[in-house]
Amino acid sequence: MVGTTHESLHRIFQKDPGLLTKALQKVLGVEFPEPREIAAMNVDLTEIEPVERRVDTLLRAETEEKTYLLVVESQGRTDDRKRGSWPYYLAYLHEKYRCEPVLIVITQSSATAKWASRPIQLGFPGWESLIVRPLVLGPDNVPVIADEGEAVADPSLAVLSAMTHGKGRNAAAILESVAAALKTLDSDSAAAFAQFVDSCLADSRAKQMWRDLMTDIQYFWRHPLAEQVREEGREEGRAEAKAETVLQILEWRGIPVSSSVRERVTACTELGRLEVWARRALQVTDSAELFVEE
């Protein structure tokens, strides 16, 4: 099964890029032009200097008038560091590709959605140098699709609905409708969508209900996507744990940790580099010395 909710919430748009423009138009009411072509791009925004930055999903949408870069960020909780990194992502992408970047945040939490939708304003009050206005998809605006006919008519939107609303009193109707819709798809697409739904169901009863609905199509749980995303989830978890270890060592030794050092450590996903930093954390007298020789 897909390893993490975080991965599924943005990977669904890699599986079906057209769902993203559909969500912008139908869910958020944004008059986004219909793309002639839409394609996934490299998510790595790392610069030559060793500060690694990655977006979750990056898509290029070609429309009649211009090309847009759709930046999709899966957000589980509030994180004020993102209010610094998101403007950086957009500015970097605009400079590199000379295309208009659009930030879309997807979350299962109403509180996180409210936080993410606040404009990010940088500069002098009343004369801001940069304003970022994220478009947010969450439980308060993604439609509840609990009707089988609606789900069959638009399976990918029904899957997004289940990923966002698959709990509470509507769970049974939502999941049954999605299960019916998946039977109308080719096995590869149905398998991928089934994985996404499963990974986003936090409620144990809803998850068991979904697996019961899927018992007649066990192929879903052996799909190659499952192992790929599971491994990415495990790797991400190991990196997060090691980064936390580096910071804990410094704090335990009474070494002040600046916000720039903390951001660089937590943004790193290379286990080898984090191992080196963990060893250095036992000896340095200043947190910036972690990065000496780099």
Side-chain angles (χ1 to χ4, degrees):
M1 287 154 287
V2 173
T4 65
T5 297
H6 176 277
E7 288 297 311
S8 292
L9 281 172
H10 70 86
R11 272 180 171 271
I12 186 174
F13 298 114
Q14 296 178 16
K15 174 62 183 173
D16 184 1
L19 174 62
L20 188 55
T21 55
K22 189 182 304 178
L24 292 176
Q25 296 163 350
K26 294 185 176 181
V27 178
L28 298 177
V30 176
E31 295 183 5
F32 190 84
E34 195 64 36
R36 292 175 303 182
E37 179 185 353
I38 188 166
M41 298 178 65
N42 191 333
V43 301
D44 194 342
L45 308 184
T46 306
E47 298 185 67
I48 294 176
E49 60 181 89
V51 178
E52 188 171 286
R53 298 180 188 269
R54 293 176 183 269
V55 296
D56 288 332
T57 284
L58 180 61
L59 303 171
R60 184 185 68 250
E62 303 278 355
T63 73
E64 290 294 337
E65 296 183 354
K66 59 175 65 176
T67 298
Y68 294 92
L69 299 177
L70 305 179
V71 182
V72 185
E73 286 282 282
S74 172
Q75 197 67 27
R77 55 184 172 80
T78 61
D79 182 356
D80 284 334
R81 291 174 300 177
K82 292 297 182 73
R83 304 187 73 79
S85 57
W86 285 342
Y88 169 86
Y89 294 163
L90 301 180
Y92 175 89
L93 289 168
H94 185 268
E95 173 65 20
K96 181 174 182 178
Y97 296 104
R98 295 298 174 179
C99 299
E100 299 295 335
V102 179
L103 174 63
I104 301 104
V105 179
I106 181 166
T107 180
Q108 292 180 305
S109 163
S110 294
T112 302
K114 183 177 180 180
W115 163 83
S117 64
R118 296 197 334 254
I120 302 169
Q121 303 182 70
L122 304 179
F124 188 76
W127 199 271
E128 289 77 9
S129 301
L130 177 64
I131 300 176
V132 175
R133 297 176 60 201
L135 292 163
V136 181
L137 293 165
D140 296 327
N141 55 13
V142 173
V144 174
I145 298 180
D147 177 79
E148 183 175 321
E150 288 185 52
V152 170
D154 199 337
S156 58
L157 190 59
V159 169
L160 184 62
S161 175
M163 292 166 66
T164 311
H165 299 286
K167 60 182 179 181
R169 61 182 182 180
N170 293 318
I174 292 172
L175 297 178
E176 288 171 0
S177 298
V178 175
L182 294 189
K183 292 177 182 177
T184 68
L185 303 178
D186 64 273
S187 60
D188 186 69
S189 295
F193 284 141
Q195 301 284 344
F196 293 144
V197 172
D198 187 86
S199 69
C200 288
L201 295 174
D203 184 278
S204 59
R205 289 172 298 180
K207 188 179 285 286
Q208 187 57 53
M209 185 188 309
W210 178 245
R211 294 183 179 181
D212 290 342
L213 289 167
M214 296 291 104
T215 52
D216 59 334
I217 21 187
Q218 288 298 320
Y219 165 73
F220 284 2
W221 315 123
R222 299 194 300 272
H223 190 268
L225 173 72
E227 185 53 39
Q228 177 187 352
V229 180
R230 267 202 304 271
E231 182 54 36
E232 290 183 2
R234 285 194 290 265
E235 190 73 13
E236 179 185 342
R238 287 194 290 266
E240 288 178 356
K242 182 58 69 173
E244 189 62 30
T245 297
V246 173
L247 297 174
Q248 285 176 348
I249 291 173
L250 292 172
E251 290 167 3
W252 172 68
R253 295 185 58 227
I255 306 295
V257 180
S258 67
S259 58
S260 61
V261 168
R262 183 177 299 275
E263 180 175 349
R264 185 166 173 179
V265 171
T266 56
C268 183
T269 58
E270 295 181 24
L271 280 171
R273 180 174 293 169
L274 288 166
E275 290 281 3
V276 171
W277 291 350
R279 291 194 294 270
R280 288 179 182 169
L282 294 168
Q283 302 174 340
V284 298
T285 56
D286 185 297
S287 61
E289 294 175 6
L290 288 177
F291 316 124
V292 70
E293 300 173 4
E294 296 185 10

